[in-house]
């Protein structure tokens, strides 16, 4: 008499495998799609800033495109989900160049505390440096008619992909 062998475990493996594959495919599809444009119909004001969340990862910004309204006040909620320090530098080309030079002069070291990088006063822009796992909230008023860029200026990070597109719309 031949013993009956249950095929149930095999089915579980096949179904589970198919599910895992479809989740990976779905994840890749979602990652490849640009994030939907946020609702910009009610820009933030000084008394009522619009909340904008940005997650920093090794080595990219999430979302990869930042939508801002010219003149509005936003409250950035920043979180470093990476395992290394990251920096949120928002500003024009002058701001970017200043922080690039400052960070190149004092890069963060693993087992030492470097002197804090700084730029001359009056450079403007916004710069937040966050260690791994840290979060920060900062209020910012979007300047009118200044082309903004968002980068992590820690040495090598922009080259690895820590550059976000900033789209400033007028209302
Ligand atoms: Cu970085």
């Amino acid at each position: 008499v031949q013993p009956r062998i249950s095929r149930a475990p095999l089915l579980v493996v096949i179904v589970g495998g198919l599910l895992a594959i479809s989740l990976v495919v779905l994840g890749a599809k979602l990652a490849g799609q640009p994030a939907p444009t946020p609702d910009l119909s009610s820009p933030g004001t000084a008394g009522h800033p619009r909340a904008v969340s940005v997650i920093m990862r090794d080595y990219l910004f999430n979302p990869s495109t930042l939508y801002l309204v010219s003149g509005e006040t936003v409250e950035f909620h920043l979180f470093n989900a990476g395992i290394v320090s990251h920096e949120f530098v928002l500003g024009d080309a002058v701001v970017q160049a200043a922080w690039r030079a400052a960070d190149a002069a004092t890069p963060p070291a693993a087992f030492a505390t470097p002197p804090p990088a700084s730029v001359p006063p009056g450079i403007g822009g916004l710069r937040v440096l966050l260690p791994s796992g840290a979060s920060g909230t900062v209020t910012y008023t979007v300047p009118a008619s200044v082309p903004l860029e968002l980068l992590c200026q820690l040495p090598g990070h922009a080259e690895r992909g820590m550059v976000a597109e900033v789209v400033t719309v007028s209302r």
Side-chain angles (χ1 to χ4, degrees):
V1 177
Q2 204 166 346
R4 279 190 54 140
I5 299 169
S6 170
R7 290 212 171 84
L10 183 66
L11 260 177
V12 167
V13 168
I14 290 174
V15 171
L18 285 177
L19 185 67
I21 289 168
S22 45
L23 280 177
V24 167
V25 170
L26 180 70
K29 266 191 180 164
L30 287 176
Q33 280 173 358
T37 312
D39 180 16
L40 299 175
S41 58
S42 44
T45 60
H48 233 274
R50 185 171 65 88
V52 177
S53 295
V54 178
I55 301 171
M56 293 131 92
R57 300 184 188 277
D58 309 331
Y59 291 82
L60 53 86
F61 288 101
N62 235 220
S64 56
T65 304
L66 198 58
Y67 291 93
L68 301 172
V69 180
S70 182
E72 76 166 333
T73 302
V74 293
E75 187 176 77
F76 286 117
H77 296 265
L78 310 176
F79 175 59
N80 181 359
I83 59 166
V84 298
S85 293
H86 289 299
E87 189 185 45
F88 181 97
V89 181
L90 181 65
D92 60 11
V94 174
V95 170
Q96 299 298 340
W99 282 109
R100 191 173 191 81
D103 286 340
T106 57
F111 300 105
T113 305
S118 63
V119 296
I123 283 290
L126 177 65
R127 183 255 193 174
V128 180
L129 175 68
L130 291 177
S132 171
S135 58
T137 301
V138 60
T139 306
Y140 178 74
T141 300
V142 182
S145 64
V146 176
L148 295 175
E149 302 168 21
L150 171 59
L151 288 99
C152 174
Q153 291 292 10
L154 297 184
H157 289 209
E159 290 74 8
R160 293 204 211 175
M162 288 202 78
V163 181
E165 188 188 0
V166 182
V167 177
T168 307
V169 299
S170 302
R171 280 271 172 261

